[in-house]
Amino acid sequence: MSQRLRRLMAGICLLAAPVVYVAGLVADPALRAGDAADGAYGRHPGQVAVSAALLHWSWVLLVPGIVGMIHLVRRRAVVFGHVAGAVALLGIVNFSALMLGDYFYAVLEREFGTERGDELAEKAFASAQWGFQVPGFLGLLGVLLLGFALAYGREVPWWAPPAMVVGMLTGPIWPVGMIGGSLLYLAGAGVIGLRILRMSDADWAQPAPDSGKVAVTA
């Protein structure tokens, strides 16, 4: 794969991942129902399927973006940035796998009712806590630390990494969190993605001279 194609893939995926993530949140029937969320998955399995698929692909799309972010850690905190990037990648993969659970919630609620269905689903997720959920949240910490390594290397603005992670975490909180979190995720990932897309092939392939200025200011 050429350097240009890698750069374009990383930048486009960083722009696309939050858009698909937000679309997945909006499609989630339980989030839209608010106080009436009980049993929403059982009543709307089709919407659950769309939402889970979109959320799954939002995490998948983030992987090439994170690889591109790791590529930019070239002058400062290189070891730290690469370790954080590895943790981020492993965590994102785990979150992607967790989206399959939404399908089971929908089937269990429809077949056994809300109370019994949710009870069975919660028992299943409890077994997956250390294998999937905890590594997933550690992955978000990895994204944050990787972003700070980029900010330390003057590749991205300091606010972009926490905006990404806070946006991911608060997006599922309806309605204020979804609006604010979505905007934060879009802004944080977007500014890094645009930074990558605006780079020349030469800058992407080789680290630029350290001018002492932040490469991206908006």
Side-chain angles (χ1 to χ4, degrees), residues 157 159 187 190-192 194-195 198 214-218:
W159 57 265
V191 74
I192 299 174
L194 288 175
R195 155 67 175 156
R198 290 171 178 171
V214 176
V216 180
T217 58

Side-chain angles (χ1 to χ4, degrees), residues 37-159:
D38 286 349
Y41 274 26
R43 295 192 303 271
H44 307 287
Q47 295 179 33
V48 173
V50 172
S51 171
L54 288 171
L55 291 172
H56 159 73
W57 279 104
S58 75
W59 297 117
V60 172
L61 286 169
L62 192 57
V63 170
I66 291 175
V67 173
M69 291 170 65
I70 295 173
H71 177 76
L72 294 182
V73 184
R74 299 175 294 190
R75 294 180 299 183
R76 298 180 174 184
V78 175
V79 174
F80 175 83
H82 280 72
V83 171
V87 173
L89 288 173
L90 292 173
I92 295 308
V93 169
N94 278 275
F95 263 140
S96 172
L98 280 173
M99 298 305 103
L100 190 63
D102 289 356
Y103 295 94
F104 291 97
Y105 262 103
V107 172
L108 289 170
E109 284 190 358
R110 187 171 69 249
E111 296 295 326
F112 297 101
T114 302
E115 184 176 352
R116 180 57 176 162
D118 286 350
E119 180 184 354
L120 292 172
E122 291 297 334
K123 286 182 178 179
F125 266 95
S127 301
Q129 180 179 0
W130 291 101
F132 292 88
Q133 291 173 311
V134 172
F137 283 106
L138 287 176
L140 295 187
L141 177 62
V143 173
L144 179 65
L145 296 178
L146 171 60
F148 281 149
L150 286 174
Y152 181 64
R154 299 187 175 94
E155 294 290 349
V156 302
W158 67 266
W159 57 265

Side-chain angles (χ1 to χ4, degrees), residues 21-49:
Y21 182 75
V22 173
L25 294 179
V26 173
D28 189 310
L31 289 180
R32 296 199 315 274
D35 294 337
D38 286 349
Y41 274 26
R43 295 192 303 271
H44 307 287
Q47 295 179 33
V48 173

